[in-house]
C-alpha cells in the first residue's frame, strides 16, 4: 500500500534549475527518514540526499552539495528536491525512496519502497 510518486523532471539546460516532488501515501510519512537516489544511464544507483522525519536534518552527496536542497512538507506528505546549477552529470532517473534504515545508500537492497522515478535530463 505504500506508494511514492515522483514528478517534476524534465529537460533543462546546464546551469538551470528544477524542482522534483514526491507524493507519499500508505504510511506515516512524518515518521520516516527519506532519501532521493538517482541512476544515470549505464551507471549504478547513487544516493543523492536524505532527510529525517521532522525535516530538520538534511544530508547530501558530495556531488550535489551546495546545489541541491532536500525538504519535506509533512502536512502534504510530500518530499522535494530543489536542484540548482544543474550539470550534465546530473542527468539521471531520480527516485524518492524509503530506506529500511537511515540513511539508505547506493544499493536498492537498502530500501523497502521507491517510486517510478522521474527523468532529469541536463543538456544543451
Amino acid at each position: 500500500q505504500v506508494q511514492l510518486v515522483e514528478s517534476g523532471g524534465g529537460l533543462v539546460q546546464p546551469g538551470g534549475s528544477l524542482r522534483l516532488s514526491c507524493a507519499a501515501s500508505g504510511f506515516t510519512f512524518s515518521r520516516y527518514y527519506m532519501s532521493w537516489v538517482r541512476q544515470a544511464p549505464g551507471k549504478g544507483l547513487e544516493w543523492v540526499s536524505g532527510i529525517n522525519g521532522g525535516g530538520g536534518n538534511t544530508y547530501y552527496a558530495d556531488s550535489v552539495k551546495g546545489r541541491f536542497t532536500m525538504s519535506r512538507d509533512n502536512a502534504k506528505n510530500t518530499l522535494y528536491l530543489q536542484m540548482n546549477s544543474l550539470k550534465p552529470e546530473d542527468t539521471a532517473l531520480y527516485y524518492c525512496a524509503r530506506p529500511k534504515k537511515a540513511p539508505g545508500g547506493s544499493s536498492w537492497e537498502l530500501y523497502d519502497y521507491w517510486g517510478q522515478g522521474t527523468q532529469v535530463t541536463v543538456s544543451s
Side-chain angles (χ1 to χ4, degrees):
Q1 209 62 45
V2 169
Q3 194 168 19
L4 298 168
V5 181
E6 302 92 339
S7 62
L11 175 63
V12 65
Q13 300 275 296
S17 296
L18 217 49
R19 187 164 97 141
L20 307 184
S21 297
C22 171
S25 60
F27 66 104
T28 306
F29 181 67
S30 63
R31 294 182 63 92
Y32 285 85
Y33 179 104
M34 297 293 295
S35 297
W36 284 98
V37 299
R38 66 187 183 186
Q39 189 160 29
K43 295 188 64 188
L45 192 69
E46 181 186 11
W47 176 84
V48 173
S49 63
I51 190 167
N52 71 325
N57 298 99
T58 53
Y59 310 89
Y60 302 93
D62 288 343
S63 58
V64 307
K65 192 169 184 65
R67 300 187 299 119
F68 290 11
T69 303
M70 189 175 184
S71 61
R72 67 196 296 162
D73 185 340
N74 286 337
K76 295 181 178 180
N77 283 3
T78 302
L79 202 62
Y80 301 99
L81 185 66
Q82 178 66 48
M83 305 185 296
N84 299 326
S85 302
L86 283 160
K87 304 174 179 182
E89 51 263 47
D90 295 318
T91 295
L93 188 60
Y94 284 72
Y95 302 86
C96 62
R98 194 182 83 174
K100 295 174 182 177
K101 289 190 173 186
S106 299
S107 172
W108 286 120
E109 292 185 343
L110 300 172
Y111 302 91
D112 52 11
Y113 295 98
W114 55 89
Q116 84 286 355
T118 187
Q119 179 66 43
V120 172
T121 302
V122 185
S123 177
S124 59

